[in-house]
Amino acid sequence: MEYTEISAYSVPSGTLTIWSPTAADDHWRDDPRPLSPDHRNHVDGGATGSWIGSVMRIPHAYDAAAVRRTLAAWVRRHEALRSTVDPADDGWVRRTVPAGGVEVFATEVGWMPGAHANARIADIMASLSPLAWPHCAFVTVVDPDQDGFVLVMGADHSVMDAYSQALWPAETVELYRRAAGLDGREWTDQELADSPAASHVDHAATEAEQAAGLDADSEAVARWREFLGEDLSFPHVPTVALAEEQRPDLPQCSLSETLADETTTDALARLCKAAGTSLQYGVLAAMSLAFRRRYGVERLRYVLPMHTRTSLEHAIAVGWYVGLCPADVDITGSEDLLTAAGVVHREIAAQRDLVAHPFPRIAELLQVASGPRFVVSYIDGRFIPGADEWDEWDGQLLRSPAYSDEEFYLWFSRTDENIRINARYPSSLAAERTMRGLVTDLRAILAEAAVTDIPGLSDIRREGASA
């Protein structure tokens, strides 16, 4: 599962068409439901260019009418994509258009070489804004000499999280099959738009209510104050001095690497389960061990984004369902991966309830001025619908270029085939050395743990090998 910029994707030469959601002015309605604290935080910033999305090759012949119906149905299904903000005396007011008021308009740009198409797509997505609807855009690139066609989706980060972008490929392929009549029946536009997905706009109202219940004396605020320390700032990667060669004007570097193959991944998963933990904590423990091995660091402090999807209906919805969990992991005395995994597991379990408390409200109460600097995420891709077909679809998750001289973002992902790491980090030799060293040590630690005889687990390893 790769999470990279569009520049890393091989866009073919072909006819490029831009597809944009539209809605007549008289379809918009004032919406009394409040913005979530995270949404408000995005629109208060107001900057364009912070987008995420997905790209894939639709494995069917190009049908422009079916593309239009597919994209219209997807936007109609998810209310977060049909909602926007207008300025108001006290900040912002929400406005929403009903599902039936959304259409999709096509602008054919024409044929262009792959490199030019790639750059044009980047420009289109970079123009998305949290303040101007539509907050999403689509592009098709059609090469008549190739099977299928490329479809790109991008959305401003204010209306979409990483899990939403991961849900998009399977939902879109299924909608296209229906819209094109490839399943042998005719679907009406209304039938295509029907979905059991809940509305993130309703979820946002719930989060706003939760945030309103926080004050300076709340326990959640006190625990975040303790994590952030006296200077009320987020921790950074505790290795080489990041002041070296700082260039905040340069786009951050990207990395995408495989850390463990299928055999190693399966062995590690069995070991972690037998030890009463999970592969997620095993991978996070390997990260702590890697920093200790190379830099002698025993204590690692970072922020772990975690989802706030509390029901099946919200699990398949598009929106921003993300909270933050502070992690303060000290592996002093941990001699192996499983012992360290237990430390990580206990720390995350103890702090996990903080995810439900919207951090922008906590930051407001504490007057925290800066954002997270060392962020670590873990996704189990085995449970994402359609993930086992992404290779066939040439599917890839996308993020916009980032500019920072201190942010390190690491995304670990597990699939049936492997464990991967994707990352963005400062454009400096110091940061590059840190990341390359981390990848090298992570691979070694995971491989060693998968084959090293850990007392009490030899029988489990043998049973797994013979199964």
Side-chain angles (χ1 to χ4, degrees):
M1 182 188 298
E2 291 201 51
Y3 194 27
T4 59
E5 298 176 25
I6 183 63
S7 58
Y9 192 84
S10 181
V11 176
S13 301
T15 300
L16 186 147
T17 302
I18 304 168
W19 303 81
S20 303
T22 63
D25 290 344
D26 58 359
H27 284 152
W28 289 95
R29 302 286 184 269
D30 290 341
D31 191 330
R33 290 171 292 181
L35 276 61
S36 72
D38 279 299
H39 193 175
R40 183 178 293 273
N41 190 49
H42 274 283
V43 298
D44 283 345
T48 60
S50 178
W51 64 275
I52 60 176
S54 302
V55 57
M56 65 177 167
R57 180 176 295 279
I58 299 289
H60 302 291
Y62 176 73
D63 179 334
V67 170
R68 181 195 62 78
R69 297 184 69 211
T70 295
L71 301 179
W74 187 68
V75 176
R76 291 167 183 166
R77 283 181 166 203
H78 299 290
E79 194 173 28
L81 304 175
R82 298 184 277 104
S83 189
T84 192
V85 297
D86 276 345
D89 292 339
D90 59 347
W92 305 97
V93 62
R94 184 188 295 279
R95 302 193 76 215
T96 304
V97 65
V102 173
E103 299 293 342
V104 169
F105 177 76
T107 302
E108 185 173 307
V109 178
W111 188 93
M112 58 179 57
H116 292 180
N118 192 303
R120 184 63 182 271
I121 292 168
D123 289 341
I124 292 165
M125 301 309 175
S127 68
L128 294 169
S129 167
L131 304 180
W133 193 88
H135 303 300
C136 61
F138 313 90
V139 176
T140 54
V141 180
V142 181
D143 179 354
D145 295 328
Q146 294 189 16
D147 294 333
F149 60 97
V150 168
L151 176 61
V152 188
M153 176 274 296
D156 186 83
H157 218 337
S158 64
V159 298
M160 181 178 291
D161 61 13
Y163 193 73
S164 298
Q165 68 182 129
L167 291 171
W168 178 78
E171 185 175 10
T172 298
V173 169
E174 180 60 27
L175 282 172
Y176 187 79
R177 288 169 177 159
R178 294 177 179 181
L182 300 178
D183 61 350
R185 61 163 288 190
E186 294 185 5
W187 294 77
T188 67
D189 288 347
Q190 179 61 55
E191 289 173 327
L192 290 175
D194 286 343
S195 169
S199 169
H200 178 266
V201 180
D202 291 335
H203 177 79
T206 301
E207 283 201 344
E209 182 179 350
Q210 292 171 331
L214 292 171
D215 59 35
D217 297 323
S218 297
E219 178 191 355
V221 177
R223 288 162 63 188
W224 271 106
R225 183 186 294 113
E226 179 181 4
F227 176 76
L228 295 172
E230 292 184 4
D231 60 351
L232 292 175
S233 64
F234 282 94
H236 56 74
V237 173
T239 55
V240 294
L242 297 182
E244 177 188 337
E245 305 174 277
Q246 284 187 307
R247 290 293 304 273
D249 57 319
L250 292 179
Q252 287 201 306
C253 296
S254 294
L255 175 148
S256 182
E257 299 280 352
T258 298
L259 297 177
D261 61 16
E262 183 175 359
T263 300
T264 299
T265 299
D266 288 346
L268 290 169
R270 289 197 302 271
L271 290 174
C272 290
K273 182 177 180 179
T277 184
S278 71
L279 185 58
Q280 173 183 1
Y281 301 114
V283 171
L284 295 177
M287 180 180 68
S288 285
L289 292 169
F291 274 98
R292 180 170 72 180
R293 175 176 292 190
R294 186 163 293 259
Y295 299 107
V297 174
E298 298 282 359
R299 182 186 181 196
L300 209 57
R301 299 170 63 240
Y302 51 90
V303 173
L304 190 71
M306 304 181 81
H307 77 82
T308 57
R309 297 169 183 265
T310 56
S311 68
L312 178 61
E313 292 79 11
H314 283 289
I316 58 174
V318 168
W320 183 270
Y321 293 87
V322 180
L324 298 182
C325 178
D328 189 342
V329 178
D330 190 337
I331 61 168
T332 301
S334 298
E335 298 300 328
D336 55 53
L337 181 73
L338 294 184
T339 306
V343 173
V344 177
H345 194 158
R346 288 189 292 273
E347 168 63 10
I348 301 302
Q351 304 295 345
R352 192 183 191 111
D353 62 305
L354 290 177
V355 175
H357 300 285
F359 184 78
R361 173 57 177 161
I362 292 173
E364 178 184 26
L365 291 167
L366 291 176
Q367 296 185 322
V368 177
S370 63
R373 296 184 290 191
F374 185 17
V375 180
V376 182
S377 178
Y378 181 93
I379 297 177
D380 192 334
R382 296 173 302 159
F383 304 111
I384 298 174
D388 57 343
E389 297 181 88
W390 285 2
D391 286 344
E392 177 187 346
W393 298 339
D394 294 333
Q396 190 168 304
L397 304 183
L398 302 174
R399 52 181 171 79
S400 58
Y403 295 80
S404 172
D405 55 12
E406 58 183 2
E407 290 180 359
F408 278 73
Y409 274 64
L410 313 181
W411 294 274
F412 293 102
S413 61
R414 183 215 175 161
T415 66
D416 286 326
E417 291 79 26
N418 55 42
I419 299 169
R420 291 189 65 85
I421 182 173
N422 295 278
R424 65 172 176 85
Y425 50 94
S427 181
S428 73
L429 290 177
E432 187 71 27
R433 285 195 297 265
T434 294
M435 283 307 308
R436 293 297 171 181
L438 178 62
V439 169
T440 297
D441 291 342
L442 274 168
R443 282 200 186 105
I445 289 167
L446 293 173
E448 291 163 10
V451 299
T452 300
D453 184 24
I454 298 174
L457 294 177
S458 298
D459 292 342
I460 294 167
R461 186 178 277 115
R462 283 195 295 269
E463 289 173 5
S466 63

